[in-house]
Amino acid sequence: MREVFHQSLEDVQSRLVEIAELVTVAIEHATRAFGTSDVALAEEVIEADQTIDDKAIALDELAIEILARQQPVARDLRIVVSALRVSASLERMGDIAEHIAQLTRMRFPERAIPKGLKGTFTKMGELDVQVAKVLTEILRTEDLTLIEALRDLDDKLDDLHLSVFEKVLSDNWQGEAGATVDATLASRYLERFADHALNVAKKVAYLATGEWAPDTDTITVVASANGVELPANADD
């Protein structure tokens, strides 16, 4: 029974990674469609979101079954509870990709990106794809040293999000009401995507350490135990 239990826990982790990989594809395709007005690609993102939803529901059902049948404690309990919360965040990230695709479809055949903001939104899209890839690696390996990289990406997205608001609120902004709404919505979606990712990473840190804000020494110990090779300045 114990072996079956641990197989179930491994299944939980592998399912989280699978959902994260689907979210990565979703945000990559959604931001590309947004930047190029590719309505066909946007439709693919919208349709694929149901798969992410279904897999998140299936994972939740598995986690609830483990709680009911196995009554896990300590780290095992943290794994199951964290999985329930992480799957919810991943599902929301998939929804954000869908929302961006919906903006593309709504404005087609016109471009969804207002004039003067293409470079900003292109960069935000690229950063969100990086965020999704780093998060997937964190879920796969529990390499907590990657969380700092995720924070850096989140900070860059926050700055770009702020620059969009400064642009549309400036006296020089020539966009119509629809363009202003599109810009603020899209910017908010792209910024929130990274926020959800960072929240997931914090849950992984809790899972690995039992602490919501582990210090550098704790991260180093966990990384070493997981066979993660730390950079030379990891303890600086």
Side-chain angles (χ1 to χ4, degrees):
M1 286 295 295
R2 193 65 183 170
E3 183 178 347
V4 172
F5 174 51
H6 280 292
Q7 287 177 348
S8 296
L9 292 180
E10 290 175 2
D11 189 21
V12 166
Q13 181 181 13
S14 65
R15 290 190 189 201
L16 286 174
V17 172
E18 180 185 15
I19 296 171
E21 290 172 341
L22 290 174
V23 168
T24 301
V25 173
I27 194 64
E28 186 171 12
H29 287 179
T31 53
R32 186 191 310 163
F34 187 66
T36 61
S37 297
D38 188 337
V39 70
L41 188 58
E43 291 286 1
E44 289 181 16
V45 175
I46 294 168
E47 292 176 7
D49 185 63
Q50 187 60 52
T51 300
I52 295 174
D53 292 347
D54 291 344
K55 288 186 178 295
I57 291 171
L59 175 57
D60 290 349
E61 290 175 346
L62 173 61
I64 292 170
E65 181 180 349
I66 292 172
L67 287 172
R69 291 179 178 274
Q70 302 294 339
Q71 298 181 348
V73 296
R75 174 178 162 81
D76 293 340
L77 178 60
R78 293 205 305 270
I79 291 174
V80 180
V81 173
S82 296
L84 285 167
R85 301 182 68 181
V86 167
S87 68
S89 292
L90 290 173
E91 189 271 334
R92 291 189 190 102
M93 291 169 72
D95 286 344
I96 287 173
E98 181 187 20
H99 294 334
I100 294 168
Q102 288 171 337
L103 278 177
T104 303
R105 182 175 66 179
M106 181 174 64
R107 293 303 176 192
F108 184 80
E110 301 298 325
R111 284 186 176 272
I113 298 179
K115 185 177 180 181
L117 287 172
K118 182 175 177 58
T120 300
F121 279 113
T122 297
K123 185 60 178 178
M124 292 183 81
E126 291 171 350
L127 289 172
D128 267 346
V129 172
Q130 292 180 49
V131 163
K133 290 179 178 179
V134 172
L135 179 61
T136 301
E137 191 63 19
I138 290 173
L139 288 169
R140 180 182 290 111
T141 65
E142 289 188 11
D143 181 358
L144 304 188
T145 63
L146 293 173
I147 294 178
E148 191 59 37
L150 205 56
R151 287 197 184 97
D152 289 342
L153 292 169
D154 182 55
D155 288 342
K156 292 176 181 177
L157 279 157
D158 288 344
D159 290 342
L160 289 169
H161 177 54
L162 179 60
S163 75
V164 171
F165 271 76
E166 290 175 343
K167 178 79 171 180
V168 300
L169 292 174
S170 72
D171 294 335
N172 297 325
W173 176 247
Q174 301 294 323
E176 298 179 354
T180 303
V181 171
D182 288 349
T184 52
L185 276 178
S187 181
R188 180 58 173 160
Y189 291 149
L190 292 165
E191 185 266 340
R192 282 298 291 159
F193 185 89
D195 287 346
H196 283 302
L198 195 54
N199 285 335
V200 170
K202 291 176 180 177
K203 293 179 179 70
V204 175
Y206 169 71
L207 169 61
T209 67
E211 302 175 17
W212 284 111
D215 56 26
T216 302
D217 290 340
T218 302
I219 290 175
T220 301
V221 169
V222 172
S224 298
N226 290 338
V228 174
E229 184 177 347
L230 296 172
N233 62 345
D235 296 326
D236 292 349

